[in-house]
Each structure stands twice: as C-alpha cells, then as structure tokens.
Amino acid sequence: SRADPVVRLIDTEGRLVDEARPGATADACLDARLNADGDHVLVVADAVHGVGPDYGYEIRVTTSPRLAFVFPPAVAPGTTVDGVAFGWNLPGAAPSDLTVDGRRLEQLPVKLSMPTDVGGRIAPVERLEPSQFAVDAVEYRVASAAGQSNAVLLLAADGAGVSDAAGNDTPETAQPLSLPAEVVGQFHPRRDVDWYRFEAKAGDVLWLELWSHRPGLPTDASLLVEQVSQGDDGKEQVKVV
C-alpha cells in the first residue's frame, strides 16, 4: 500500500485520546488505556491525504501484547541468553523507565534464543525495509492469553556480544574493548554518545561497522574513529582517522 495512515482515537466526549503516525520503519500503532465505558471513534486518514485504489489499509484492534523491541538485539547462533522485551500489554510485565513517543514502555524478562543454522534464512516478519535484505535473523514474539504479539527482529551475532557500559559518555571514560568485538548498545537518554577504546598495531586492517537501520530502527547513527598516541612531551595526541 502507498498509504501512510495516521490513526486518531476519540473518546465518548469527543476529545482526542491519542494519535499515532507512521514511523521511519513501522506502521502507526496506538497503545490506548481507556478511562471510560462507551462508544469510541477511531479515525484513519493518510498522512498527506493521498487517495486511490492502491491506498489500502488494515486495522487491528486487540488486547494482545505489542512489542517495541528486545534487548540485546543480537544473539550468537546456538545460544540462549537472558534478555528483556519492551512493549505494551506484556503478560506479567513491570513498568520501565523508557518511553516511545511519550508512551511508557513495559519490560518483561525473557529468554532469547538463536538457532544454530540461522545463516541466510531470515524469518518472515510483518514488514521489512530494503536495508534489511542482508541480515541473518529470526522473528521474536511474546504470547499471552489474548494472543501473540507482533514480530520483532532478533539478529544473529557473529559471537558473544558486549553491552555498552554506563558512563562511557566521554573520551576519558571510554569503554575498553578486546578485538574482535561485537557491541550492543542503546542511544539513551537523549543526546547519548558512547565512546570505546581498543588497542591496534600499525598495519592492522580493521572493519568497523555500525548497524542500526538493518535491525529496523529509525536512528541516524554516525561512527567516528580517532587515533590516540603519546607525544614527545608525554601528552596524549588525538588524530581523526
């Protein structure tokens, strides 16, 4: 469909309860906690008022779980790790300190497993972007008495992952890494910048790659590499590589 639907929920008094717009990589989704009995009105319209037979849509209204993401986002093949699912209507979940578009997320401890033979067999999910064509991944869902949640991507890591540490927000507190390394992290809170430090030798050929769009996230991340050396005066010198 060419439509980018905007969804609005109106309460029994004609007041706007909430509104959802399509994200960079996902359709619009409302998480609404209703405060009154009675008829509510759901309004759906294309974001730029586009019309035509190829502007179709489907509406799902349900009390089933809704996933926003899981962390860690990547698991090594053949392993199972302790993780956390974030979303809404998650069975047995607790409130988290994270929000999406102003909506408080719930968090649920889960087990995240990656099959051994995941290579090259991405599982079907509700929607994939062109940037995700090359990822090795499986879908992950949460089940409840009200039904299954939507699917989110769980990526296959190349090896055991390292989580970004709290406090690695400055060059002076950069998190040390042993190469090769695979790091999973989050840009949180707002304006978060994470720093890492590793040892390298002259002549080493390194491949440094930042994944963010491929997991299906709406981020616009950047990667900066600096060389830190010691000058003749004993002071650190920094050069942008």
Side-chain angles (χ1 to χ4, degrees):
S1 174
R2 296 178 60 191
D4 279 325
V6 176
V7 181
R8 298 182 179 90
L9 182 65
I10 311 298
D11 69 9
T12 56
E13 303 297 324
R15 295 170 297 197
L16 179 67
V17 176
D18 205 351
E19 176 183 86
R21 293 179 174 272
T25 61
D27 290 322
C29 178
L30 266 182
D31 169 57
R33 187 177 298 276
L34 305 181
N35 297 319
D37 297 339
D39 290 337
H40 289 67
V41 177
L42 194 64
V43 182
V44 183
D46 182 70
V48 294
H49 303 290
V51 296
D54 52 349
Y55 278 75
Y57 63 87
E58 176 192 6
I59 298 173
R60 298 180 186 178
V61 182
T62 178
T63 57
S64 62
R66 180 77 186 177
L67 282 175
F69 62 92
V70 294
F71 195 88
V75 177
T79 64
T80 298
V81 302
D82 293 324
V84 182
F86 292 87
W88 303 272
N89 272 8
L90 305 180
S96 77
D97 62 348
L98 303 179
T99 59
V100 172
D101 296 331
R103 297 178 293 158
R104 178 73 55 187
L105 285 167
E106 300 171 350
Q107 60 182 21
L108 177 69
V110 295
K111 296 289 187 181
L112 301 175
S113 299
M114 183 63 58
T116 304
D117 59 343
V118 67
R121 57 156 219 176
I122 186 168
V125 293
E126 293 178 355
R127 175 172 172 173
L128 289 176
E129 294 296 313
S131 61
Q132 298 175 286
F133 82 98
V135 300
D136 292 331
V138 296
E139 66 177 15
Y140 180 81
R141 298 176 186 264
V142 169
S144 75
Q148 280 199 328
S149 73
N150 59 307
V152 295
L153 278 186
L154 180 62
L155 302 182
D158 288 334
V162 177
S163 295
D164 72 304
N168 64 349
D169 302 329
T170 66
E172 293 74 23
T173 60
Q175 180 178 345
L177 297 177
S178 297
L179 302 186
E182 188 157 349
V183 182
V184 292
Q186 291 173 304
F187 294 121
H188 178 73
R190 185 180 294 274
R191 295 189 175 91
D192 181 35
V193 176
D194 294 328
W195 289 82
Y196 301 91
R197 181 186 291 258
F198 60 87
E199 294 288 338
K201 296 181 180 179
D204 284 351
V205 178
L206 302 180
W207 182 273
L208 298 96
E209 191 173 17
L210 179 62
W211 284 49
S212 199
H213 283 170
R214 279 167 286 188
L217 303 174
T219 44
D220 188 12
S222 61
L223 182 65
L224 171 69
V225 181
E226 296 179 339
Q227 182 185 41
V228 182
S229 59
Q230 194 172 49
D232 295 336
D233 56 359
K235 295 182 179 181
E236 278 193 346
Q237 296 179 340
V238 179
K239 180 179 71 173
V240 175
V241 175

